[in-house]
Amino acid sequence: MFFVRASVYIGLQKRCFASVASDFRIPVINFSKFRAAKSDTEKKETADEIVSAFKNSGFIYVSDHGIPTDTVSNVFRKSAEFFKLPDEVKSQLAWEDPRSNRGYVEVGRERVTQSADAQEILALREKAPDFKESMEIGRDWDSEWKNQWPKESDAPEFKQTMLHFFQTCHNLHVEMMRSVALGLHLSENFFDRKIDQQCHNLRLLSYPPVRRMLVDGKGQARAGVHSDYGTLTLLFQDSVCTLILIPKSLMLIIQQIGGLEVMNPHTGTFIPATPIPGTIVINVGDLLARWSNDVLRSTLHRVVAAPAKMISSAETITPLRQSIAFFSNPNFDTEITCLPNCGAEARYPPVNTETYIVGRLAATYA
């Protein structure tokens, strides 16, 4: 969370860095410099900036990314409409299989964690389940696994909106991976044929209001400490904020409500990745870290409950929050091995993309 004067807030996106703790920074990168570059040299400058950040923190804010604000707002609106549907309607679309990773996930079913021990995860889920619900969407033309769509009468334009957004996010992912390739001194199109099957996951997330007493002191979070699984995650955070006017100082305080916190790998402390309007948070996933032989950092992060508001003299409740994550993956038949220019000795054995991702998903769901 951060507080800024109203006059400062207007220029927030122009700051060089957002979250800062010691030497740990999540930079704001203007991606239009890559997309509109008139020379390879201009592209390389932005690519080097992105890869440098991915080496240090594993996270960046991306501005001027080419996805219109109206498009993102409409996806948030349709997502909110979906989660307001009756439970009996959503339950008919229930998530069933980690190989599919499609459908509705009710509150408490998933427990994200770095653990791979089934019994440990079960114990964590029983003690402190992730307090969120989600809707998982994959490529719609898959011959084996089908998306779970609500009826058009229940959620008008939901399917159309999400399919368009899925493709929009994939297109940005391709451009981002081209920048990563250049930053790693590979050919710009190195990853193109390794990500073109669109084996991604669009996750709509809703964090319902919850009494603070139910989460405080129990190790519970909106989503537990974890890393992501694939290449890059594109995170669209909501922009809910609280305005506080202090008359004596004529100062308008803006409290931006977020929840994402990123671990500083040097200190183990968590740093808020506070929402910045108009930006996307993009972070490195495990498979890209393995691909790069840990040259690029897959950083641990979590989602915590936003500041609560009083509902009685003895009780507070956290507000409703939304976010949208696009988990980008290599093609499922891709073997992840150490990339050229990323070290003479591989730190990890080769791994198949589908085997790795399905294994991680199977461990975290009930």
Side-chain angles (χ1 to χ4, degrees), residues 211-222:
R211 287 186 171 89
R212 196 71 196 224
M213 62 181 294
L214 297 178
V215 296
D216 284 350
K218 294 186 178 182
Q220 186 174 30
R222 298 289 205 177

Side-chain angles (χ1 to χ4, degrees), residues 91-108:
S91 64
Q92 294 175 6
L93 312 172
W95 185 99
E96 296 177 342
D97 194 302
R99 294 169 296 173
S100 166
N101 195 27
R102 289 164 167 80
Y104 172 70
V105 181
E106 65 184 3
V107 173

Side-chain angles (χ1 to χ4, degrees), residues 3 32 36 48 52 64 96 101 105 113 123 145 150 154-155 191 200 216 239 259 264 270 273 275 283 303 328:
F3 297 85
S32 68
D48 287 345
S52 176
D64 299 279
E96 296 177 342
N101 195 27
V105 181
T113 173
W145 304 109
D154 290 332
F191 293 108
H200 313 310
D216 284 350
S239 56
N264 182 335
F270 281 91
N283 64 281
V303 180
S328 308

Side-chain angles (χ1 to χ4, degrees), residues 139 173 177 190-200 229-231 287-288 290-291 329-339 349-357:
R139 59 184 188 182
H173 171 240
M177 290 299 289
F190 180 88
F191 293 108
D192 282 11
R193 298 300 298 271
K194 299 173 178 61
I195 59 175
D196 59 358
Q197 294 175 22
Q198 303 190 28
C199 300
H200 313 310
Y229 309 154
T231 50
L287 286 180
L288 184 53
R290 290 177 68 121
W291 228 344
N329 299 314
N331 296 341
F332 274 0
D333 59 2
T334 298
E335 184 179 75
I336 305 301
T337 58
C338 182
L339 292 170
V351 65
N352 169 264
T353 294
E354 183 175 21
T355 300
Y356 181 84
I357 291 176

Side-chain angles (χ1 to χ4, degrees), residues 24 55-58 262-269 297-300:
F24 184 80
K55 288 179 179 179
N56 293 325
S57 67
V262 180
M263 180 186 284
N264 182 335
H266 309 294
T267 65
T269 57
R297 186 186 297 274
S298 179
T299 305
L300 293 173

